Amino acid sequence: MMTGEQACADTVAPAPPSDIRYLHTLGPTGTNLESAAHLWFERRGLASEGHVVLHTSLEEAMAGVPRTGEHALLACAVYPELHTLVFGNLRHCRMVDCFLWPTFEMVLAVAPGTGAEPRTVATHPAPAGLVAPTSERQLVTSNAQAAIDCADGKAEGCVTTVVAARAHGLRVVRSFGEVPMVYTVHHVAEPPREHGPGSAREPDGARERVPEAARHHGPEGAREHLPEAARDDRARGSAR
């Protein structure tokens, strides 16, 4: 029998990647996620049809993404609170793809005329560990925003991408190199309409996945499928 959580998680069927025409991800322009979103479309021959939509945060994107089936979020494995986005939106958002691709070169950059050891550093929470202990962290919403804040004088330095640093006229003082990264695609759609109390039925074939002994012989039969140590523990417990 399916649990309530399993029934809920099964309410949105993953869309084939070719159905997705809009990828919503983190902006402003110059983020690693924006680059990965364009790459995802290019690899599927959808560069001319795919649209990348940038947001201040993935949480903001999730709240406003249309649930027509053509839209998805693109995140990465180190995005803060990714687990909350996934498990908090199971009824209308499902992970349908992932891929490994390096980030842009990650750098510590400063405004022209600033020393190589900035006292304050703007950084997204994900790469905040790259900030030296002698510098004060100023958390911002993305690597690209960190470069903007540094260029605007809100911080003496920033952890950002080399692309964003150059775009905003910053001087690179340290390179951390490219970082291998896992990117995840989350399809967003309205869940299917329910048809009464019995709608969350056990799917056909689910019973066949239960071990033969457990189906016909109950817990004692299922015991034979446990590791030997676990069978011994179970036997000792039943004797008490």
Side-chain angles (χ1 to χ4, degrees), residues 67-82:
R67 300 178 186 178
T68 60
E70 292 186 315
H71 296 257
L73 265 67
L74 187 133
C76 69
V78 300
Y79 186 80
E81 297 298 318
L82 179 60

Side-chain angles (χ1 to χ4, degrees), residues 7-221:
C8 178
D10 201 40
T11 54
V12 178
S18 59
D19 288 354
I20 297 170
R21 291 295 181 273
Y22 298 86
L23 281 178
H24 298 254
T25 196
L26 191 62
T29 190
T31 63
N32 291 309
L33 285 167
E34 179 191 21
S35 173
H38 285 293
L39 174 69
W40 190 86
F41 280 129
E42 289 170 7
R43 284 181 165 181
R44 283 152 185 78
L46 297 170
S48 60
E49 301 175 49
H51 305 273
V52 176
V53 185
L54 302 179
H55 298 263
T56 303
S57 69
L58 293 185
E59 289 79 4
E60 178 215 7
M62 180 68 78
V65 170
R67 300 178 186 178
T68 60
E70 292 186 315
H71 296 257
L73 265 67
L74 187 133
C76 69
V78 300
Y79 186 80
E81 297 298 318
L82 179 60
H83 60 288
T84 302
L85 276 174
V86 170
F87 289 104
N89 297 279
L90 285 181
R91 287 194 60 81
H92 55 265
C93 184
R94 297 291 300 276
M95 191 182 302
V96 295
D97 198 12
C98 64
F99 59 99
L100 182 68
W101 188 253
T103 67
F104 288 128
E105 179 185 356
M106 298 296 296
V107 301
L108 173 67
V110 298
T114 304
E117 298 297 334
R119 292 170 295 180
T120 55
V121 176
T123 178
H124 184 261
L130 299 178
V131 178
T134 53
S135 300
E136 177 187 346
R137 299 174 182 175
Q138 294 184 358
L139 297 182
V140 296
T141 55
S142 71
N143 296 321
Q145 188 62 49
I148 293 172
D149 283 8
C150 182
D152 288 345
K154 296 179 180 178
E156 291 187 1
C158 62
V159 172
T160 187
T161 65
V162 69
V163 172
R166 290 170 179 166
H168 296 284
L170 303 178
R171 179 171 65 92
V172 173
V173 296
R174 190 170 305 137
S175 173
F176 304 104
E178 298 178 348
V179 180
M181 185 57 58
V182 172
Y183 298 93
T184 55
V185 179
H186 307 257
H187 178 233
V188 180
E190 286 288 358
R193 294 180 60 184
E194 297 185 358
H195 301 285
S199 57
R201 295 193 309 272
E202 187 174 358
D204 293 337
R207 186 171 180 274
E208 269 58 283
R209 291 194 293 271
V210 179
E212 183 77 17
R215 287 207 303 271
H216 297 297
H217 305 294
E220 288 306 310

